[in-house]
Structures are given as C-alpha cells and as structure tokens.
Amino acid sequence: MPDSNQQLHEQEQTYYAKASRIKYFDIVIKSGKGAILTDADGNQYIDLLSSASATNTGHSHPKVVKAIQDQASKLIQYTPAYFANEPEVKLAKQLAELAPIDGPVKVAWGNSGSDANDGIIKFARAYTGRQYIVSFTGAYHGSTYGSISTSGVSLNMTRKIGPLLPGVVKVPFPSPWYRHPDESEDEFIDRMFEAFKLPFETYLPADETALIEIEAIQGDGGFAKAPARYLQQVYEFAHEHGILFAVDEVNQGMGRTGKMWSIQHFPDVHPDLIAVGKSIASGLPLSAVIGRKEVIDALSSPGNVYTTAGNPVTTAAAIATLEVIKDEKLVERSRDLGQYAEKFFNQLAAKFDFIGDVRLYGLNGGIDIVDPNTGKGDNESATKLIYRIFELGALMITVRGNILRFQPPLVIKKEDLDRGLSIIEQAMQELKDGTIKSPSDLNEIGW
C-alpha cells in the first residue's frame, strides 16, 4: 500500500524545516494534469493557485514534458558558468526579444526569482556606482538575503535573521486599503507620491540611489495594481535622478495578467531591468534578470554566477513554455477568462456583504473578505472559506490573511473553471448561513 497523506506528513515533520512552509492544508501532491491535482490519497482538486503562479501552462503540459525528456536524454547539466549550451543560447535571444525594455537587451540566468532580484541589486549598483536601493511595503521579492531585504510583506521574513542587506529603504505601496474613505483617487495618488518623495527630501540622497524596484501589480502583497499616474511619476522621478527602474515580473509575468508582462499595463513605462522566474520554465528552477545591455555589462564575472543557472533541461523547458504560451494564446486566454471570472466575483460581491473588493488582472487577482460591520479584513472568515473550498475539491489560499488568492493555470478548461467558481460560491453561501465548521488549527493557517 502506498503511503497516505497522513503518513507522509508524519514522516516529513521529523525532517523538514518549519521555516520552509506556510501552513495551509495537510495534503501531499502526487500528480497533476492541466488544472487538476491528485493527492496521495487519490483525492482530486481543481488548482486555483498554480503553485504560486509557477505553472501558468498547467501541470505536466505534454509539450513541456517532451522538451524535458528530450533534453535530459542528451545533456542534463553542464554549468553555463563555464560553457554555453544550446537551449540557454536560444532562450536568451527569445527573452531579450520579448522583454519590454528599450534598446539592446541582455540576460543573466538564476535559479529562482529570489536570486534574480538579488541580481538586479548587483547590476544596478555596478552600473550606477551608487549604494541605496528603494523598494515598497507589501513587496515580495524572495528569500535570499538581498531579496528578503527588499521585501515587505511579512514580519517573519525579517524576524531573527538581521542584520539584513544595508542600504535598502522602503516606501509605502499605494494599495487601495490605504486610501481614506473621503479621498478622491487624485488626492490618494498625490498623498502616496508625497510619501514616496519624503525619504529623498529628508535623509536619502537621490544622487546616491542606484535602484527603485517595484511590482507593478503586487501579488503576495494583496493583488494591488499601482495607479497609473503614480507609477508614471515614480518612473519619471527615477530617470530624472539617474536612478534605475526595475520591475519584478516573477509572480505577475508570463501572461498571468492578460498581458505578457504586468508592466505592459503601463505603456509609457519602460524598465531598465526586470526579474523573471516561477512560470518561465513551467515551474522548473530557472530565473533571469533581463536588462539594458549597458547595465548588464557593468558587472564582470564571477559577479553573478550560479552553477546550475541556465541549466540545459530548465532552459529547454522554458523554450517549450514560451511556445505553449504563444501557440495556445494563453495571454489572450488569461485576459478573456479573467474578464469572465471578474464578472462572476462581482456578482458574488453583490450577493455577499463580506466581500469587500474584487481585483482581477487577467486570470489573476484577489478577493477581499471583510467584516461587513467594520469593513476591516476578516482573517478568520477568509481562512474558513479556503478550508471549506479545499474540502469541496479546490485549492485556494489567502494572502495578507483576508484576501483570497485566485491564480488558476492559464490552460484551465472552462468547465473546470466553472466548477471551481461554483465551489467558491457554495463555500461563501455556507459562510453566510453560518454552517462552515472551523478547522482545529485555524489560527495556524496562512501567512
């Protein structure tokens, strides 16, 4: 008899670090196909998370699987730190041509979004000769020391591990929940931009600042899109002062938002650097820093060298991933299904007063669960919802405690999407009726 979910979890608890998993549901994923996952007990789930937006092309896409198998039979690994391999050469050209960056572009490989964001810091400091880095509250850039220093989404990302990378300054991200009830959008943008400028006016010399990095649409920070005028002003401020402007596309890139890159929702903004990871190789460990040629060339080897970065198998998988995105029109599919899902969630918002806001950008977004009496985030109700959704056969998690994270694979079949949405509606109806039972470990679940 194969081991069950419970047996495998009991085995794992003896050996696995508690710092390495955010607790949600005690299941062991055994296999996946498209948008359907199967656990060790044989239960099936509609995936509404895409492995944290790392499997935009779904699970075990046949074209990606074939590319992995074909490449593995030829060459699994030889480090690009010393010698090129054919898939990484081809992929570098493709990514450079796809990048939303003006002028000649170059690529540097990594193994995860975390080290890609570390790389951005290195390249920016090397090019500008400056030290200071500006990032935003609510950001999630990764868990290496550089990327965890620029992140601002969880206290447990900084607790007990300081000192962090010096020279990092955080400014408030213009998330909608920071907008005052009586404040117009223009007033909100003006106030947030004043908060952005305050460090530069008081203690942070702009002429010693190398980089401003932002998620144009924050993911783990709550699925909040920066107002267009705000982002434009930050971008113009950066270039006015010789500061490089970088965008983290790890979570929101590769078609996730209904455009290939999230920054393409802001057509007048052209970053100097972007970080790519997660879905670039359909979940295999690969990332890239893509940037203006002169910026990337400012750093000499071995300043950004990793033994397995640009691995032949992962880059072959990435080439196949880009082919799937193009051939199956996943960018357009994300846009169209996202509009369909947004309409559905807005209908639910009219039905359930505990839905505070719906923010979808492509097949991707957040649904705020709030206390109807106060309008404040209701973590307990959100956790009850995702646990009931799990019991009914779909996987969904929360971010910021009270926000439902909605990121199904872009290949999800329409009937599976409808089933997943129906499950969400059933759970919400049960929450309204007061029939959902709280899991015994309610307070341990989530970020």
Side-chain angles (χ1 to χ4, degrees), residues 20 34 38 129 146 159 173 185 201 263 270 329 375:
S20 297
T38 303
R159 188 174 277 125
F173 187 86
E185 182 175 5
E201 295 169 348
I263 197 61
H270 303 280
K329 295 181 169 48

Side-chain angles (χ1 to χ4, degrees), residues 298-344:
L299 190 64
S300 298
S301 64
N304 198 62
V305 166
Y306 308 94
T307 300
T308 56
N311 167 276
V313 176
T314 63
T315 50
I319 291 169
T321 298
L322 292 176
E323 290 174 357
V324 170
I325 290 172
K326 179 182 178 181
D327 293 347
E328 299 186 15
K329 295 181 169 48
L330 295 190
V331 176
E332 297 84 354
R333 201 164 191 279
S334 176
R335 178 197 65 208
D336 295 343
L337 286 181
Q339 291 171 354
Y340 176 79
E342 183 178 29
K343 180 179 179 181
F344 175 85

